[in-house]
Amino acid sequence: MTALLRYQAALLLRSQRWLPPFLLYAAFLAVSVQAGQPVLDSLGYSAAALLPVAAWLARICVTAEPQAARGCVAAAVGPARAHVACLLVALSGAAALGTVATLGVTLLSAPVASDHRTPVPLAPACGAGLLAALACALLGTAVGALTSRPLLRSRGRAVLALLLAALLSLVATGSPAQAAVQGLVTGSRSGTVPLPLLPLAAAALLTAAALALAGALAARRSP
């Protein structure tokens, strides 16, 4: 599996198709996160923006290979493992991006609550931001897995479904991503640092189920 992950990671990096989502994420952070803003609010923005980026990255990874190369890899290791490896590489890239963004946002932000008076400890805030970013990266990967092949083969329908699912994942009540981001925003109002452990666990379970379903369908629908 390690060699397969390295192959998929190298394929992604050499294709440079990861640049648009990464640059879009960086542009969003440059516009929405300013130095001196309350740290928990800024971390909430950066975590929320990571979800659609993770979904986009997952779609990029599962569609990066030419058909012939995909068939060779599937024949060598099995279509399910090959497909899941693509999604794991996408998840790793999104998690790495979220980690870098969280650290940068923490350093730029002010260690205060929304009232700009109540102090907020930076280290726990950074930890909460990392957990929220990971939850959003997980759920974004699940969205990408469920709105790409082999579940949806039409590009137009897949892109529309990805956008709608990413939006719902951020705003729908009960969504792990919404709970993690809302926890940061609510904590900023009260000056307390929440640890989104339950949303992270729920996001991990949903993502594991999404990857398992995508892998199973890839095995059934492979030629």
Side-chain angles (χ1 to χ4, degrees):
M1 191 64 171
T2 301
L4 183 58
L5 292 173
R6 289 178 178 174
Y7 163 73
Q8 295 292 351
L11 187 67
L12 174 65
L13 291 175
R14 290 174 183 173
S15 72
Q16 297 185 354
R17 295 176 66 188
W18 53 271
L19 277 173
F22 276 43
L23 292 177
L24 181 62
Y25 184 62
F28 174 84
L29 293 183
V31 172
S32 62
V33 177
Q34 303 296 326
Q37 289 181 337
V39 61
L40 291 176
D41 287 334
S42 297
L43 289 173
Y45 289 134
S46 65
L50 185 64
L51 193 151
V53 172
W56 189 357
L57 195 60
R59 174 167 176 78
I60 288 173
C61 286
V62 300
T63 58
E65 281 181 294
Q67 184 64 38
R70 187 184 310 141
C72 291
V73 174
V77 300
R81 291 185 66 192
H83 193 75
V84 171
C86 295
L87 296 171
L88 289 177
V89 167
L91 174 58
S92 299
L97 179 62
T99 299
V100 173
T102 299
L103 295 176
V105 167
T106 302
L107 292 176
L108 285 174
S109 302
V112 293
S114 296
D115 58 9
H116 291 273
R117 294 190 302 270
T118 306
V120 173
L122 277 182
C126 183
L130 287 172
L131 294 179
L134 181 56
C136 289
L138 283 164
L139 202 59
T141 303
V143 168
L146 297 177
T147 56
S148 302
R149 67 171 190 87
L151 284 87
L152 294 177
R153 296 183 180 273
S154 169
R155 179 178 298 179
R157 292 179 181 177
V159 172
L160 180 60
L162 186 149
L163 294 174
L164 291 176
L167 178 61
L168 288 175
S169 297
L170 287 173
V171 302
T173 302
S175 165
Q178 190 272 344
V181 173
Q182 186 61 40
L184 292 176
V185 175
T186 302
S188 183
R189 294 171 184 165
S190 61
T192 58
V193 179
L195 287 179
L197 297 176
L198 187 58
L200 177 60
L205 290 175
L206 289 173
T207 304
L211 265 61
L213 175 61
L217 288 178
R220 290 187 60 182
R221 297 181 181 181
S222 63

